[in-house]
Amino acid sequence: LWAAELAARRGAVVIGLVGSADKVKVFEDRILPLSPRSSAMIRGAEGTFHTRLATLLSHVHDCTIPSDIPMNRRLSYLREKEKGVDIVMESLGGQYFTGSLEALNRGGSLVTFGSTSYVNPGLHINKIRLIWRYLTRPRIDPGILTSRNIQLAGFNLIYLTDKPEELRRELRDLICCLNGMAGGEATTSNSVLLDGVTPPIIGDVFDFRTGAIQALERLKSGKTVGKVVLDNSYNK
């Protein structure tokens, strides 16, 4: 939600991918006041994602896809008309990844930070499914990146935890944006002003001592809204 808010505050029309219909209003309440043309899309079946994304993009850009364009060519048709997307933050993998990549306009960027569609709920691992998903994972031809002039990047915040100064600087810039201020305006020496930042939504809270496994399972369920928090206030 904060990523969508950052984009909306920078003038973007945001498409938020949500897991179920009951999450649409959460997105709309947060983003539409900043970007009225934004909309939420229910994730839905992986096999129909390409087609549904093309339909939504045609509405966003107020354009018509000719009826003689095959279903599997509609995203490429839109992006060739610069009616695709400019930035994607992608965490699902599989055909959600390939559809998002297919929709990138020239000069666009896709940042992948997970493959959650490969994970099944529950404590047990479905090894056969996991192997199959791994063998059928998307392959990227580097030539596509240059011929289409697009960028593909991976991101994992864990691998930046040894760079606190860089993280602190980036966090301050993000808070400035969420405050609706220019870079540096929301910072004072070593402190950061959070007055104008919309608080995060806290969906579920678990006891740090006894609820870590349940919290992870809740997160994996795809039914959460906002943050899943482990509370360690008993130490205070």
Side-chain angles (χ1 to χ4, degrees):
L1 286 171
W2 263 351
E5 184 177 336
L6 287 166
R9 287 186 179 277
R10 292 297 188 187
V13 176
V14 183
I15 296 175
L17 202 62
V18 297
S20 57
D22 59 319
K23 297 184 181 185
V24 171
K25 188 176 185 302
V26 177
F27 174 88
E28 291 178 343
D29 288 347
R30 188 95 166 196
I31 303 303
L32 293 191
L34 301 169
S35 177
R37 292 178 55 215
S38 294
S39 60
M41 175 182 178
I42 299 173
R43 181 173 62 184
E46 188 174 351
T48 63
F49 178 70
H50 288 62
T51 303
R52 291 183 292 110
L53 179 59
T55 300
L56 179 56
L57 286 173
S58 68
H59 291 313
V60 169
H61 292 292
D62 194 22
C63 65
T64 301
I65 303 175
S67 58
D68 60 341
I69 302 294
M71 290 293 184
N72 62 355
R73 282 278 305 156
R74 294 194 167 191
L75 282 177
S76 56
Y77 170 84
L78 288 169
R79 71 125 196 280
E80 288 163 4
K81 300 290 185 182
E82 296 294 308
K83 302 295 185 181
V85 296
D86 296 317
I87 299 175
V88 178
M89 295 183 64
E90 201 283 319
S91 65
L92 298 173
Q95 294 187 52
Y96 302 108
F97 173 92
T98 56
S100 300
L101 191 69
E102 184 71 13
L104 278 184
N105 293 325
R106 284 181 298 171
S109 301
L110 185 150
V111 180
T112 178
F113 60 100
S115 297
T116 55
S117 65
Y118 295 6
V119 179
N120 58 294
L123 294 175
H124 301 289
I125 298 175
N126 186 332
K127 294 182 180 179
I128 294 177
R129 180 179 184 275
L130 188 60
I131 292 171
W132 173 251
R133 295 289 297 191
Y134 177 79
L135 293 175
T136 58
R137 70 193 187 282
R139 267 75 164 180
I140 304 300
D141 177 2
I144 292 176
L145 305 180
T146 52
S147 64
R148 288 178 48 194
N149 198 27
I150 58 177
Q151 302 176 74
L152 175 62
F155 178 74
N156 190 329
L157 187 64
I158 292 173
Y159 298 118
L160 289 176
T161 53
D162 61 337
K163 298 183 177 181
E165 291 302 321
E166 181 178 341
L167 286 175
R168 187 175 292 111
R169 181 176 64 254
E170 295 292 341
L171 178 59
R172 286 179 174 179
D173 287 345
L174 294 176
I175 290 173
C176 285
C177 181
L178 290 168
N179 265 302
M181 300 177 178
E185 287 184 42
T187 63
T188 59
S189 63
N190 292 323
S191 64
V192 181
L193 301 179
L194 297 171
D195 295 347
V197 177
T198 308
I201 294 175
I202 305 299
D204 297 271
V205 179
F206 295 86
D207 190 310
F208 182 82
R209 298 165 296 178
T210 60
I213 293 177
Q214 293 90 332
L216 184 58
E217 288 305 301
R218 178 65 177 164
L219 192 62
K220 287 171 61 179
S221 72
K223 298 178 181 179
T224 60
V225 176
K227 303 294 184 183
V228 175
V229 175
L230 289 174
D231 181 10
N232 65 345
S233 59
Y234 65 90
N235 279 328
K236 298 178 180 178

